[in-house]
């Protein structure tokens, strides 16, 4: 079955540094979604990518969908303490990656 | 709008006991889902529903049953709880199989 791998598992950065998490699928995805979960909270939808090579931005967050629709990335520019949490990608059949846990040192 | 609500918030069970988790949504969504979240394993789909009266198995359905008698409610049942079912359970709903809105979660401890 479809596997969605996410790396890295953990990332610790100094406030102001950039952060990137990657999502890779063993099969072509119809779409990919990104979610953020704050510590002790529930996943919150961030964005959905559908088209091959698509790039979307939300303020300091940049999301990309690979040309082959098998991989995706989330890049955060100049992290802030409010970015702390776990970022998940999810493939078209509701299969989630294991998540990347981001911690930010002020 | 309350969005997606889950009851109870926390529960402790003994091995072999049964319980039902309730999920309710007020957004008139067709799709509803039950996930479990374990450390380091992300969210794994247990069962889902694409409409009232329908259910389907997800990635890890064994030991669970579900029912969707009303569009706004999705129930998750554990007939005979096992320690391996200790987890955080999230319910979600969506208009289509894409953007999902999650409930606050239920923490279940099985002793």
């Amino acid at each position: 079955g479809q596997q969605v791998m996410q790396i890295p598992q953990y990332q610790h950065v100094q406030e102001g540094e950039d952060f990137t998490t990657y999502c890779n699928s063993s099969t072509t995805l119809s779409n990919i979604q990104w979610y953020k979960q704050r510590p002790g909270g529930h996943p919150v939808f961030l964005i959905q990518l559908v088209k091959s090579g698509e790039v979307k931005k939300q303020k300091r967050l940049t999301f990309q969908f690979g040309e082959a629709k098998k991989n995706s990335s989330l890049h955060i520019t100049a992290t802030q303490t409010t970015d702390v949490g776990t970022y998940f990608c999810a493939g078209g059949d509701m299969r989630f990656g294991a998540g990347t846990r981001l911690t930010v040192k002020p | 709008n309350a969005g997606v609500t889950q009851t109870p918030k926390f529960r402790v069970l003994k091995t072999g006991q049964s319980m039902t988790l309730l999920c309710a949504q007020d957004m008139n969504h067709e799709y509803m889902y039950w996930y479990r979240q374990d450390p380091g394993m992300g969210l794994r789909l247990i069962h889902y529903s694409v409409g009232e009266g329908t259910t389907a198995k997800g990635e890890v359905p064994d030991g669970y049953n579900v029912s969707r008698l009303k569009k706004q409610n999705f129930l998750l049942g554990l007939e005979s709880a096992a320690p391996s079912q200790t987890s955080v359970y999230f319910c979600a709903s969506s208009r289509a199989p894409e953007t999902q809105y999650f409930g606050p979660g239920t923490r279940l401890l099985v002793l």
Side-chain angles (χ1 to χ4, degrees):
Chain A
Q2 177 182 298
Q3 297 289 329
V4 177
M5 306 299 293
Q6 200 171 344
I7 56 171
Q9 189 175 2
Y10 302 97
Q11 186 77 57
H12 178 71
V13 300
Q14 190 81 32
E15 189 173 21
E17 292 181 337
D18 292 356
F19 159 77
T20 304
T21 174
Y22 301 90
C23 187
N24 297 293
S25 170
S26 56
T27 59
T28 301
L29 301 169
S30 56
N31 61 67
I32 194 160
Q33 299 148 41
W34 285 93
Y35 294 80
K36 177 183 178 180
Q37 184 177 22
R38 294 182 185 276
H42 60 274
V44 175
F45 174 79
L46 294 176
I47 208 161
Q48 175 171 276
L49 305 173
V50 178
K51 298 177 182 178
S52 169
E54 189 170 13
V55 178
K56 288 188 176 180
K57 292 189 176 184
Q58 288 180 351
K59 297 183 180 179
R60 295 177 294 104
L61 278 61
T62 301
F63 304 84
Q64 291 188 321
F65 202 8
E67 293 291 340
K69 300 182 74 172
K70 287 187 174 182
N71 56 75
S72 181
S73 65
L74 158 59
H75 179 80
I76 301 179
T77 303
T79 55
Q80 299 176 358
T81 54
T82 54
D83 296 324
V84 165
T86 300
Y87 293 84
F88 294 98
C89 61
D93 68 347
M94 300 159 282
R95 194 170 289 254
F96 280 74
T100 296
R101 182 178 174 185
L102 172 65
T103 55
V104 179
K105 184 176 180 181
Chain B
N1 285 350
V4 180
T5 58
Q6 292 182 233
T7 53
K9 288 184 171 55
F10 178 70
R11 184 75 183 270
V12 179
L13 288 179
K14 293 181 180 179
T15 296
Q17 287 185 318
S18 63
M19 78 163 294
T20 300
L21 283 68
L22 172 64
C23 176
Q25 53 96 3
D26 62 2
M27 295 174 282
N28 201 35
H29 285 165
E30 290 293 335
Y31 292 73
M32 296 188 75
Y33 317 81
W34 275 108
Y35 293 90
R36 60 177 290 172
Q37 185 174 38
D38 302 295
M41 299 192 73
L43 293 147
R44 292 184 292 168
L45 183 65
I46 304 172
H47 286 280
Y48 65 100
S49 168
V50 300
E52 182 179 320
T54 74
T55 62
K57 294 181 179 179
E59 184 184 356
V60 289
D62 294 342
Y64 305 94
N65 57 75
V66 288
S67 64
R68 184 103 180 264
L69 299 179
K70 293 182 179 180
K71 186 177 184 178
Q72 63 268 34
N73 296 335
F74 196 27
L75 279 62
L76 177 70
L78 286 73
E79 290 187 351
S80 180
S84 60
Q85 294 178 304
T86 292
S87 189
V88 180
Y89 291 86
F90 286 103
C91 174
S93 72
S94 65
R95 180 179 57 83
E98 40 189 56
T99 308
Q100 295 182 45
Y101 296 86
F102 283 81
T106 295
R107 292 184 178 275
L108 176 65
L109 175 61
V110 183
L111 302 175

